[in-house]
Amino acid sequence: MTGFVLIFLAAFLIICNYIIFQAIGGKILGAKIDEIGLFLSPSIFKFKLFGINFSLNSIPLGAYVKFSDEFEQLQPIRKILIVLIGLFSYFLLAVVFIGFSETIQKTLTLFPQI
């Protein structure tokens, strides 16, 4: 049972890390954020803070950052960077938990499976 809880908590940390970095990266690169949702629908709880809608949903899988329609007008390089910032957050999370040298070594060996 504790193994399941630890896996769930690790997944929650990874999901939150990704959406926080993607939202911050999008904001820095000029994308307007409409909504940040944790988990998938249907919605349990919604609130608005700093002009951004936050949603807590009922199915504990995934999360999302919904950008406004202006996102389509952004330069393609900015769109790519927003996605890469979210992915880079995984690298930073690995550095925090397993250290820089170990993260580099695992990245170069493509994280072999156990």
Side-chain angles (χ1 to χ4, degrees):
M1 183 64 170
T2 57
F4 176 75
V5 171
L6 288 176
I7 289 172
F8 183 79
L9 289 175
F12 180 75
L13 174 67
I14 290 168
I15 289 168
C16 288
N17 177 58
Y18 182 83
I19 62 170
I20 288 169
F21 271 80
Q22 191 171 33
I24 290 171
K27 196 77 164 166
I28 289 171
L29 292 170
K32 185 176 181 292
I33 300 169
D34 279 346
E35 183 177 1
I36 297 175
L38 184 59
F39 304 143
L40 301 178
S41 61
S43 179
I44 297 173
F45 180 70
K46 287 186 175 189
F47 65 96
K48 191 170 191 168
L49 185 65
F50 302 116
I52 300 172
N53 294 314
F54 290 86
S55 175
L56 177 63
N57 301 316
S58 59
I59 303 171
L61 298 170
Y64 60 90
V65 177
K66 181 180 175 189
F67 295 103
S68 71
D69 293 335
E70 298 167 5
F71 184 77
E72 295 297 323
Q73 307 306 320
L74 284 178
Q75 298 170 342
I77 267 305
R78 287 183 182 224
K79 292 179 192 177
I80 292 168
L81 285 174
I82 290 170
V83 173
L84 290 178
I85 287 170
L87 294 174
F88 183 69
S89 71
Y90 292 148
F91 182 80
L92 291 179
L93 199 61
V95 168
V96 167
F97 283 101
I98 63 175
F100 183 76
S101 62
E102 186 74 14
T103 300
I104 295 296
Q105 190 254 336
K106 295 288 185 186
T107 302
L108 294 176
T109 60
L110 302 176
F111 283 89
Q113 297 294 316
I114 297 175

